[in-house]
Amino acid sequence: MMAEDTISAVITALGQGAVGIVRISGPNALAVSGKLFRAASGKNLADYSSHTMVYGHIYDLQDNSLVDEVLAVYMDAPHSYTAEDVVEIQCHGSMQALRKILSLTYAAGAKPAERGEFTKRAFLNGRIDLTQAEAVMDIISSRSEASLKLAARQQNGELAGVLHNLRRQLLDIVVCLEAAIDYPEEDIEEITFGEVKKKILEVGANISDLLNNAHTGRILRDGLRTAIIGRPNVGKSSLLNALLKEERAIVSEYAGTTRDVIEEQLLIDGVPLVLSDTAGIRKSDDYVEQLGVKKTLELLKDTELVICVVDGNEDLIAEDEEIFKTAATRPYVIIVNKSDLNVAATFDILKQRFGSNKVIALSAKTGVGMDELFDWLKSYVYGDKGTLSSGIYVQNARHEELLRQALQSLTDAGQAVSDGMPYDCIIIDVRRAINLLGEITGDTIPDEIINEIFSRFCIGK
Ligand code: GDP
């Protein structure tokens, strides 16, 4: 059901730029724009064929004053972002011009668009599914090229396609079981049971595959939260500087959205590392001695990966052991630093103890061995593949959680089959999985959750 009201918003960044765009969407888009836009040709926007750029001006009809020189384009439903009638006005990218034009659209009858409302309408009008809508937000907020690539694939409907396919397979199972209930005399029990179990396992395996890649997807999207720990003077700051030197992208500093700490993000061979407040990290290392493991763990609460540094040119001491204990609570890698000096003895001991795939010797000073650390990071993020492959990488925590629940339901269903439970019981589990997958795509999802999801978008999206 199409929305009845017409909405408008500035869809470009609100700041100075060469061009800014106001979008009007809804059944009255043309009527609204007609009250402020005059084509230089003297024709109406509606006289042009859809998707044609039309040169003209915006006027304030109140006093007939000229506001700005613009290009306007009409996109007829359903061939637009929202799948509704849309008019977009490209004006000069000034805050004043944008605000003025926006207020004129309101005066002409448009309502202010809510957060994410354009994308929400695209979803409600069936142009895109929920995974594609959510990918829009991912594209805007991508922290790495790889993440952008994944979001673009999702926006293109890759994940949606796979999920629809899995749901269809599960629906087939339900249909098959319901037939067996309705026509018991047909004696299809034997075939059905074996087949049903096999199909349930197949779909479950597909979901497992998706979940296996989800860890990679999440890191590429949100960054790998990393802490560098070690006792004083082992070379933590030097390592950090060496990492920063390798960083080929622009170092971005931004306030975390959920916490008020400054984080630093570096892209190491395409892997986004998020080091929370590096000065703080340095301080927190000293805490290891002062406050012990427990307090340090608290400081590492949001950290996924621990890079644990020791001075390879010195013997290991009790403080190092404390550091190892802390590191062992997380995925970790041990850096035997100062390999330009003599580190062989310490390196060997640590490899023996922790395994050679957990210990890297390098010199933060000369940079020798840094490549090994980068390779280690890449294999941590990408697994055996070592690089981004063409498969599907779920990047969204909501999707991941729903996939996990769906897999659990299928595991339950498989168990019910093995236990020879009545068909009804199996059907309940399979149906639950179908609904959970439908929540990802938005086919079966309560309105509150839809509203919740789109409220996280920004105005103008
Ligand atoms: P932090 O206290 O752990 O941050 O250690 P720093 O990074 O401040 O380094 C402590 C000392 O070790 C400094 O004098 C560094 O120059 C030195 N250092 C750091 N890394 C290396 C390395 O790879 N080789 C050598 N020879 N010295 C290093």
Side-chain angles (χ1 to χ4, degrees), residues 292-309:
V293 175
K294 197 163 160 239
K295 189 75 192 175
T296 313
L297 279 180
E298 245 165 67
L299 291 167
L300 293 181
K301 198 162 45 82
D302 292 331
T303 302
E304 170 169 344
L305 176 72
V306 172
I307 297 180
C308 184
V309 185

Side-chain angles (χ1 to χ4, degrees), residues 34-335:
K35 289 189 186 149
L36 39 138
F37 174 73
R38 279 189 216 149
S41 65
K43 290 201 278 186
N44 289 321
L45 201 48
D47 297 335
Y48 291 87
S49 51
S50 179
H51 294 73
T52 305
M53 278 289 185
V54 181
Y55 173 72
H57 296 86
I58 297 291
Y59 285 90
D60 184 347
L61 283 195
Q62 204 91 50
D63 53 8
N64 235 359
S65 62
L66 175 64
V67 177
D68 198 5
E69 178 190 38
V70 302
L71 287 172
V73 58
Y74 164 60
M75 293 172 258
D76 62 345
H79 310 109
S80 70
Y81 186 81
T82 54
E84 301 171 336
D85 273 357
V86 164
V87 173
E88 285 179 11
I89 296 166
Q90 295 188 7
C91 63
H92 289 109
S94 100
M95 293 273 277
Q96 293 314 320
L98 285 165
R99 288 227 171 97
K100 180 68 187 175
I101 294 170
L102 188 61
S103 72
L104 291 175
T105 66
Y106 297 161
K111 286 200 331 193
E114 290 167 14
R115 290 171 171 273
E117 194 170 0
F118 293 123
T119 310
K120 184 174 172 183
R121 288 188 173 198
F123 164 67
L124 293 175
N125 293 333
R127 186 178 71 79
I128 53 176
D129 88 328
L130 199 50
T131 64
Q132 292 171 293
E134 288 173 297
V136 170
M137 195 155 61
D138 292 342
I139 287 176
I140 296 170
S141 59
S142 300
R143 290 194 185 188
S144 63
E145 198 181 325
S147 177
L148 173 65
K149 202 182 271 180
L150 297 182
R153 285 189 206 161
Q154 184 177 320
Q155 218 250 320
N156 201 25
E158 275 193 22
L159 177 60
V162 168
L163 293 175
H164 280 299
N165 189 16
L166 293 179
R167 286 186 86 211
R168 206 171 311 121
Q169 291 180 45
L170 292 176
L171 271 173
D172 284 348
I173 296 173
V174 170
V175 168
C176 182
L177 288 171
E178 279 174 348
I181 293 175
D182 292 343
Y183 307 102
E185 68 280 3
E186 299 282 303
D187 198 24
I188 45 179
E189 190 161 334
E190 295 301 310
I191 326 149
T192 313
F193 250 58
E195 275 293 294
V196 161
K197 173 118 194 195
K198 195 172 136 237
K199 280 189 185 154
I200 288 175
L201 288 179
E202 263 171 32
V203 176
N206 280 315
I207 295 179
S208 285
D209 285 347
L210 290 175
L211 282 168
N212 286 339
N213 278 351
H215 180 235
T216 308
R218 188 157 19 90
I219 290 175
L220 293 177
R221 177 183 133 132
D222 297 335
L224 177 57
R225 300 195 161 274
T226 307
I228 303 175
I229 66 169
R231 62 184 172 83
N233 286 320
V234 294
K236 298 177 298 294
S237 346
S238 306
L239 178 63
L240 180 68
N241 288 334
L243 285 170
L244 286 169
K245 211 165 70 189
E246 281 303 320
E247 146 109 0
R248 290 176 192 98
I250 301 156
V251 179
S252 60
E253 245 183 49
Y254 52 88
T257 44
T258 52
R259 302 170 309 154
D260 291 331
V261 292
I262 300 294
E263 296 171 327
E264 208 158 356
Q265 176 176 335
L266 16 163
L267 267 180
I268 299 296
D269 269 5
V271 174
L273 292 189
V274 180
L275 293 161
S276 48
D277 178 22
T278 48
I281 283 174
R282 255 170 269 161
K283 241 183 248 129
S284 73
D285 315 322
D286 302 336
Y287 287 154
V288 174
E289 301 162 82
Q290 290 165 21
L291 304 171
V293 175
K294 197 163 160 239
K295 189 75 192 175
T296 313
L297 279 180
E298 245 165 67
L299 291 167
L300 293 181
K301 198 162 45 82
D302 292 331
T303 302
E304 170 169 344
L305 176 72
V306 172
I307 297 180
C308 184
V309 185
V310 300
D311 184 337
N313 192 40
E314 288 180 4
D315 289 337
L316 296 171
I317 59 174
E319 286 165 10
D320 292 312
E321 298 298 334
E322 292 285 282
I323 303 274
F324 295 147
K325 254 189 249 167
T326 308
T329 62
R330 298 285 138 90
Y332 65 91
V333 60
I334 296 173
I335 300 300

Side-chain angles (χ1 to χ4, degrees), residues 231-239 282 337-341 362-366:
R231 62 184 172 83
N233 286 320
V234 294
K236 298 177 298 294
S237 346
S238 306
L239 178 63
R282 255 170 269 161
N337 189 31
K338 311 197 183 180
S339 67
D340 51 303
L341 306 174
L362 61 77
S363 168
K365 191 173 170 183
T366 66

